[in-house]
Amino acid sequence: MTAARLLIAFVLVTLPADAIRVTPLVRDGELLLSFTAPGAVTAELREAIRSGMVITFTYDVSLRQGAFLWFDRTIADAEVAASVRFDNLTRTYHVTRMVDGRVTWSESSTNEEQVRGWLTDFDRLKLFPAGALQPNAEYTIDIRARISPRRAWVLWPFGQHDATGRAPFTYIR
């Protein structure tokens, strides 16, 4: 691995808090989730992708129900990930999307802007069963994103996320 590639591998990617826009939609008794992280692909990250490194965007999604005197109760969790690999020979980006470790979609493109959308824009995902929701109750969707590989202090005991997003909603049936 070249020194330039190592330098790119250890670029610390940070986004402002609440950099993820979250839109929950309840339709026909189902919870559909859309979210986007428009500022996630920075110039440094584009260079890392173009170097041929596999870059993965991981979104940890939590469905929480508010509690009166205690912490919010977590109803369900899901992990949504999108990985990109650039083939320098064919000048083609290969993107794979996964939900909870299962590949749900894969595509290739030469259009960098289209690939950016595939990594950061998710539309109407059905991540949680509708049976877990109580009618007329208040819920919150929390999303924490991380981009890897990243520079991290291995001995640091706490997780670090690159961006977060939150959206409250009422489940009306």
Side-chain angles (χ1 to χ4, degrees):
M1 194 178 256
T2 66
R5 200 171 198 185
L6 279 173
L7 179 64
I8 292 172
F10 292 109
V11 169
L12 179 60
V13 180
T14 57
L15 297 172
D18 297 326
I20 301 174
R21 292 192 300 250
V22 183
T23 308
L25 173 66
V26 178
R27 174 150 307 156
D28 298 328
E30 298 289 331
L31 173 61
L32 304 174
L33 183 62
S34 298
F35 60 92
T36 184
V41 182
T42 62
E44 294 87 6
L45 196 54
R46 278 195 302 274
E47 289 301 316
I49 291 169
R50 284 190 209 123
S51 76
M53 290 178 56
V54 176
I55 303 293
T56 302
F57 291 71
T58 305
Y59 303 91
D60 297 315
V61 183
S62 296
L63 173 63
R64 301 179 196 269
Q65 184 175 21
F68 181 63
L69 292 174
W70 198 244
F71 297 109
D72 291 350
R73 184 171 67 108
T74 300
I75 305 297
D77 289 314
E79 182 181 89
V80 178
S83 295
V84 61
R85 182 181 54 83
F86 182 68
D87 186 339
N88 285 311
L89 212 50
T90 62
R91 312 298 291 167
T92 303
Y93 298 89
H94 303 280
V95 178
T96 302
R97 283 185 172 185
M98 295 166 280
V99 174
D100 292 330
R102 293 181 317 273
V103 174
T104 59
W105 178 87
S106 185
E107 190 67 51
S108 297
S109 177
T110 57
N111 184 330
E112 186 176 340
E113 191 61 27
Q114 183 180 39
V115 169
R116 185 210 53 82
W118 291 344
L119 296 171
T120 61
D121 299 335
F122 295 83
D123 192 39
R124 297 184 181 190
L125 297 176
K126 183 181 171 191
L127 299 176
F128 307 114
L133 302 177
Q134 300 172 0
N136 302 321
E138 298 285 329
Y139 293 94
T140 303
I141 297 287
D142 285 321
I143 300 179
R144 295 170 312 282
R146 62 187 185 279
I147 301 170
S148 61
R150 64 174 289 133
R151 183 175 69 187
W153 184 343
V154 178
L155 301 177
W156 185 249
F158 309 106
Q160 176 66 37
H161 292 94
D162 295 316
T164 61
R166 172 178 268 212
F169 71 98
T170 303
Y171 179 66
I172 299 175
R173 217 174 135 167

